[in-house]
Amino acid sequence: MAILENIRKRTTVLILIIGLALFAFVISGVFTNGDVSGGKVGSSIAEINGEEISIDAFRQKVDVASRRSANPSTMQTVNQVYEQEVRNAILGQQFEELGVDIEQDQILNYIGTIPSYSQSPQFQNESGVFDQNKFRNFIAELKTNNPEQYNLWLQDEQAIIQSAKQQTYFNLIRAGIGATLKEGEFDYKLANDKMDIKYVRIPFTSIADSTIAVSKSEIQSYINEHKKDFRQEPARDIQFVYFQEKPSVEDENAVKEEIAKLIEDAVEYNAQTDKTDTIAGFRTTKDIAAFLDRNSDIKFDTIYKSKRELPAKFADTLMSLKVGELYGPYRDGDYFKVSRMVGRKINGTVKASHILITYEGADRANPDITRTKEEAEAEAKRLLAEARKKDAKFVELARDNSDGPSAPNGGDLGYFQEGRMVPEFNDFAFQNSVGTIGMVETSFGFHVIKIDDKQDIVQIATLAREIEPSEETTSKLFTDATKFEMNSIESDKAFGDLAKENKYVVRPVNKVKATDENLPGLGEQRSIVQWAFNEETQIGDIKRFDLVGGYAVVQLTKTYDEGLMSVEDASAIVLPKIRKERKAEQIIAANKGKSIDDLAKDNNVSVSTATALTVKSPTIPGAGSEPAVVGTAFAMKEGATSGLIEGNTGVYMLTVTKRTEAPKLDNYSTYANAVKSSREARVSTAVYQALKDAAEVEDNRAVFY
């Protein structure tokens, strides 16, 4: 905040330095005089420091974002747009107060840094450089010929302008950030000064929690003293019983029987001919594709597959089938299947490794390759001779010598079928036996090839029927869910007890926020969240919700108001902290004035050692992260012994047995620059978070979504 105050004081100077425009300018002003925002009509989705964000404009942005996104949920999109709008509003207020704006050239220059524009050939000149005039002409053409796309551009434009302003704003702040050589030296010492210590640790676990009595008033006092840590948003606790729509055992058996009937030929009466016809079954049908089109939920896949591409549980059995043989019915996931072996190609897939030696001018050769074709051939022949030696390690030869992208993997190309490789490579791989090592020439260079393995590939037709709940099953599920809902409302028994009587599982979900959507065990269920936050919904209320794939009977069990956490809610966090403080006080009071050896003896603990400790990595082996302890050691002289130190896991006393000062450097500018860069990297996040924490934000998302 001090940085921001400095900016405020120097606004005029900063404006002159960066050449800000006297009048606000936006690109759309060149093309149109229309108002992009559309005005603030109706209610607001949020109010930021008194400035309203129109729900109408917000909905338009959510709609655009939804159409452009990769199918996220509506609430995810709402939350993303909301966070961006809050950020824009908070920073926009800063821009207005400071007079931060940007000129036309700055905006176009910024667009030129956005890859989606700068790297598009549509906006590049003959030299492949972003051309501002081409971009202007494109926008002008959009306005004339494609109004819908132009309106989308206007929203993009506002986002671009906002981003450009943010970049300017944060750059101004970064301009005031630095680090002295002394700070660089200190940072260097924190990372490189090393200390060896001997220490005694009296762990907090040596005092039983049960011996530390903590009253509610003490917990409340702790909460009041640490209010920032115990702020809570409005939240709800719920519990539910989920009635999942899934097939019954009877449904499974019915599907299995149906698919079994399709295996053999069937005799059916034909009313038109007044004769019986024989309908070919899966075992005998000649037209497999047509049969599966009529009878299967999975169509005929004509691609030959290797064993590793088949379902792992059934791969061995399927691979052992002879052509024409069937296996099944068998259950695979949510399907019952019958598989028929249609064809087999012996050794139809090959696993090979290679060493590629390329040369200048070869296809896809690295520009750094300067060897001639003759030199490449000689090198390949040398490696071929090496690879054929009895003790040769082909993986190492490939890793160290190959010019191909498979070099890091030891030249391994994996399995491939006929026709996948260039003809010369393909012929060698399929015409030679496993273990053969040879050399071929292709347009890519010279390949030293080792055939690692060969496997059969098979063509399998699968008759499959999905196992789905029957109408009878779904009707019963609805009846069960409705009955449980009514009994829960009317019965004097607790929700959980009633569920237990019916052998239903009750699942709790705690601290549901007003803008949440995903509920563990149920997925995206915005309607349940809205019901839980409805003013008319009271603790104990129960309701059945119709879900995709089932029903949920939900009960509201607890509500949390915005503000400080209650003693009950905060006790799980506060109790360990207070107990730790009390234990530290007891240990320190009982051991004042003792030497390190007496401390160890009187508390039945050993004297331990730790070496090469640094402040940048304040972890003591066997004890964990202890920054206060290591920081104390850093400030001590060699041979000095500390007093009692309260650490994270216990009370410590230590002696610095050795200090190893880091070698002095002639110049610490590298470390000073690193400190400066680290501080600059945190600017956009830290400054915005500080502004957001200080802002008054009224969030109305839950009212509209």
Side-chain angles (χ1 to χ4, degrees):
M1 295 303 293
I3 293 173
L4 295 178
E5 186 61 30
N6 288 335
I7 289 180
R8 293 190 180 97
K9 292 178 180 178
R10 302 171 60 187
T11 298
T12 304
V13 176
L14 291 172
I15 290 175
L16 292 173
I17 290 174
I18 65 174
L20 298 178
L22 295 175
F23 301 99
F25 172 87
V26 293
I27 294 179
S28 58
V30 177
F31 306 130
T32 178
N33 292 322
D35 180 10
V36 176
S37 68
K40 297 179 180 177
V41 181
S43 303
S44 61
I45 188 72
E47 187 174 311
I48 317 297
N49 294 325
E51 178 184 335
E52 293 185 345
I53 298 177
S54 163
I55 182 59
D56 303 296
F58 182 83
R59 281 175 172 153
Q60 290 178 10
K61 292 177 181 178
V62 169
D63 182 56
V64 171
S66 296
R67 283 185 273 131
R68 291 179 173 180
S69 60
N71 299 319
S73 68
T74 299
M75 205 59 200
Q76 284 179 319
T77 305
V78 167
N79 292 339
Q80 290 167 3
V81 175
Y82 175 82
E83 291 300 332
Q84 188 60 52
E85 288 300 291
V86 170
R87 180 182 178 90
N88 290 346
I90 290 174
L91 292 176
Q93 292 167 1
Q94 290 293 304
F95 302 159
E96 184 175 352
E97 183 178 347
L98 296 171
V100 173
D101 211 333
I102 52 176
E103 295 181 339
Q104 174 183 354
D105 290 343
Q106 290 174 295
I107 297 172
L108 287 170
N109 287 339
Y110 182 79
I111 291 174
T113 67
I114 302 173
S116 59
Y117 295 113
S118 63
Q119 295 177 10
S120 172
Q122 185 178 11
F123 306 129
Q124 293 177 343
N125 59 24
E126 296 79 4
S127 302
V129 177
F130 178 73
D131 189 319
Q132 295 184 1
N133 289 326
K134 284 191 174 185
F135 182 77
R136 287 173 181 271
N137 293 336
F138 170 77
I139 298 299
E141 187 176 339
L142 270 188
K143 181 182 179 183
T144 303
N145 301 322
N146 196 334
E148 184 178 349
Q149 286 296 317
Y150 179 70
N151 287 331
L152 290 176
W153 154 250
L154 292 181
Q155 290 202 24
D156 287 346
E157 178 190 72
Q158 293 305 305
I160 289 170
I161 292 170
Q162 184 72 10
S163 294
K165 287 182 179 180
Q166 289 183 25
Q167 185 183 74
T168 300
Y169 173 71
F170 289 127
N171 283 343
L172 289 173
I173 296 176
R174 290 187 186 98
I177 290 176
T180 65
L181 291 177
K182 200 65 180 174
E183 288 177 304
E185 179 183 1
F186 185 65
D187 189 67
Y188 167 76
K189 291 175 70 64
L190 292 179
N192 295 282
D193 279 4
K194 293 181 171 57
M195 297 152 288
D196 295 352
I197 65 172
K198 69 175 183 178
Y199 68 93
V200 169
R201 178 178 68 123
I202 306 171
F204 293 132
T205 54
S206 62
I207 300 176
D209 288 349
S210 59
T211 64
I212 308 295
V214 181
S215 66
K216 286 187 176 182
S217 62
E218 289 173 317
I219 295 175
Q220 186 63 63
S221 296
Y222 189 95
I223 294 171
N224 294 337
E225 292 169 5
H226 303 83
K227 290 182 179 180
K228 186 177 179 181
D229 297 330
F230 295 96
R231 295 279 179 195
Q232 68 176 11
E233 301 175 41
R236 302 289 185 267
D237 287 352
I238 63 171
Q239 59 182 356
F240 66 90
V241 172
Y242 181 38
F243 294 82
Q244 185 177 7
E245 194 173 84
K246 59 183 180 180
S248 65
V249 174
E250 292 76 14
D251 296 335
E252 294 178 15
N253 291 335
V255 174
K256 187 176 182 180
E257 289 174 9
E258 286 177 13
I259 201 170
K261 290 177 182 178
L262 294 169
I263 296 175
E264 306 299 344
D265 296 349
V267 177
E268 293 182 358
Y269 173 71
N270 189 328
Q272 293 179 342
T273 63
D274 194 27
K275 295 180 181 179
T276 56
D277 295 335
T278 300
I279 309 300
F282 187 47
R283 187 188 301 278
T284 60
T285 183
K286 303 297 183 185
D287 192 343
I288 294 175
F291 183 91
L292 294 181
D293 281 344
R294 291 193 307 270
N295 299 295
S296 177
D297 292 333
I298 297 177
K299 304 310 176 187
F300 184 33
D301 185 355
T302 60
I303 296 174
Y304 279 77
K305 293 181 170 61
S306 62
K307 178 180 176 180
R308 69 185 183 282
E309 295 174 289
L310 300 176
K313 187 176 179 180
F314 308 101
D316 288 333
T317 302
L318 295 175
M319 288 298 294
S320 67
L321 295 174
K322 295 178 181 179
V323 174
E325 284 188 335
L326 274 67
Y327 172 66
Y330 63 93
R331 180 164 184 170
D332 184 16
D334 293 329
Y335 292 85
F336 270 113
K337 297 179 177 180
V338 178
S339 293
R340 173 178 164 181
M341 179 66 72
V342 179
R344 180 186 295 271
K345 292 182 181 179
I346 305 299
N347 294 332
T349 181
V350 175
K351 184 178 186 293
S353 303
H354 80 139
I355 304 169
L356 172 62
I357 304 300
T358 190
Y359 51 85
E360 187 175 8
D363 286 354
R364 301 181 191 173
N366 190 310
D368 296 335
I369 299 292
T370 58
R371 69 167 72 93
T372 64
K373 182 176 181 179
E374 292 74 18
E375 290 171 336
E377 183 176 12
E379 175 65 5
K381 288 180 177 178
R382 181 187 73 80
L383 290 167
L384 174 62
E386 287 290 327
R388 284 176 169 171
K389 290 181 179 179
K390 187 177 181 180
D391 58 347
K393 295 182 179 179
F394 195 91
V395 170
E396 294 181 3
L397 287 173
R399 189 168 56 233
D400 297 339
N401 297 280
S402 180
D403 296 323
S406 64
N409 298 324
D412 185 7
L413 296 170
Y415 286 90
F416 52 89
Q417 295 186 26
E418 189 89 31
R420 287 283 305 278
M421 299 295 183
V422 292
E424 302 88 347
F425 199 110
N426 181 86
D427 293 346
F428 180 89
F430 284 92
Q431 293 173 9
N432 289 281
S433 58
V434 175
T436 301
I437 299 175
M439 187 180 86
V440 300
E441 178 186 353
T442 72
S443 60
F444 299 101
F446 295 90
H447 306 257
V448 177
I449 306 171
K450 180 186 176 188
I451 302 176
D452 299 313
D453 188 25
K454 289 191 175 186
Q455 292 183 0
D456 293 355
I457 54 175
V458 293
Q459 186 185 57
I460 294 179
T462 298
L463 170 63
R465 286 288 179 89
E466 188 173 4
I467 306 168
E468 297 179 311
S470 64
E471 185 175 342
E472 181 182 353
T473 298
T474 55
S475 296
K476 183 179 183 303
L477 187 74
F478 173 77
T479 301
D480 290 344
T482 304
K483 183 178 178 181
F484 178 70
E485 176 194 21
M486 298 307 297
N487 289 342
S488 298
I489 294 172
E490 297 172 359
S491 175
D492 294 333
K493 295 181 180 179
F495 185 88
D497 294 338
L498 195 60
K500 189 175 181 180
E501 284 183 10
N502 289 274
K503 298 182 179 179
Y504 298 145
V505 177
V506 177
R507 305 180 190 178
V509 182
N510 298 327
K511 296 293 182 73
V512 178
K513 302 294 191 300
T515 55
D516 283 350
E517 180 177 39
N518 282 295
L519 299 177
L522 293 176
E524 295 177 7
Q525 302 299 340
R526 184 66 190 151
S527 60
I528 295 178
V529 177
Q530 291 174 320
W531 170 79
F533 278 87
N534 191 305
E535 291 181 359
E536 296 179 0
T537 305
Q538 303 297 314
I539 293 175
D541 283 0
I542 295 168
K543 184 177 180 180
R544 188 197 76 243
F545 290 85
D546 299 348
L547 314 179
V548 176
Y551 307 92
V553 178
V554 185
Q555 182 182 47
L556 178 66
T557 57
K558 189 172 183 179
T559 63
Y560 302 87
D561 295 329
E562 183 175 11
L564 284 180
M565 296 172 68
S566 67
V567 170
E568 291 75 15
D569 295 333
S571 61
I573 302 171
V574 176
L575 273 175
K577 295 178 180 292
I578 295 178
R579 284 171 179 156
K580 177 182 167 182
E581 291 178 358
R582 298 281 177 81
K583 290 177 182 182
E585 291 171 0
Q586 286 186 23
I587 293 170
I588 291 172
N591 292 281
K592 279 184 177 180
K594 293 181 180 179
S595 67
I596 193 167
D597 292 325
D598 289 341
L599 184 67
K601 181 180 178 182
D602 294 347
N603 290 277
N604 198 26
V605 295
S606 59
V607 178
S608 303
T609 61
T611 60
L613 300 178
T614 67
V615 177
K616 276 290 184 76
S617 300
T619 299
I620 299 176
S625 177
E626 291 289 1
V629 179
V630 176
T632 300
F634 182 77
M636 294 167 56
K637 295 181 179 179
E638 187 173 309
T641 298
S642 72
L644 294 167
I645 309 164
E646 181 181 342
N648 287 333
T649 61
V651 173
Y652 290 76
M653 179 180 285
L654 64 88
T655 298
V656 177
T657 56
K658 183 181 178 182
R659 287 186 64 96
T660 305
E661 302 283 345
K664 292 186 179 297
L665 303 180
D666 294 334
N667 191 294
Y668 294 94
S669 59
T670 299
Y671 291 89
N673 289 335
V675 173
K676 180 175 181 289
S677 297
S678 177
R679 291 171 178 172
E680 290 176 343
R682 297 195 299 270
V683 163
S684 58
T685 301
V687 170
Y688 171 67
Q689 192 58 51
L691 291 169
K692 186 178 180 182
D693 290 343
E696 293 182 6
V697 180
E698 182 181 322
D699 182 357
N700 297 325
R701 275 176 293 177
V703 174
F704 298 99
Y705 294 94

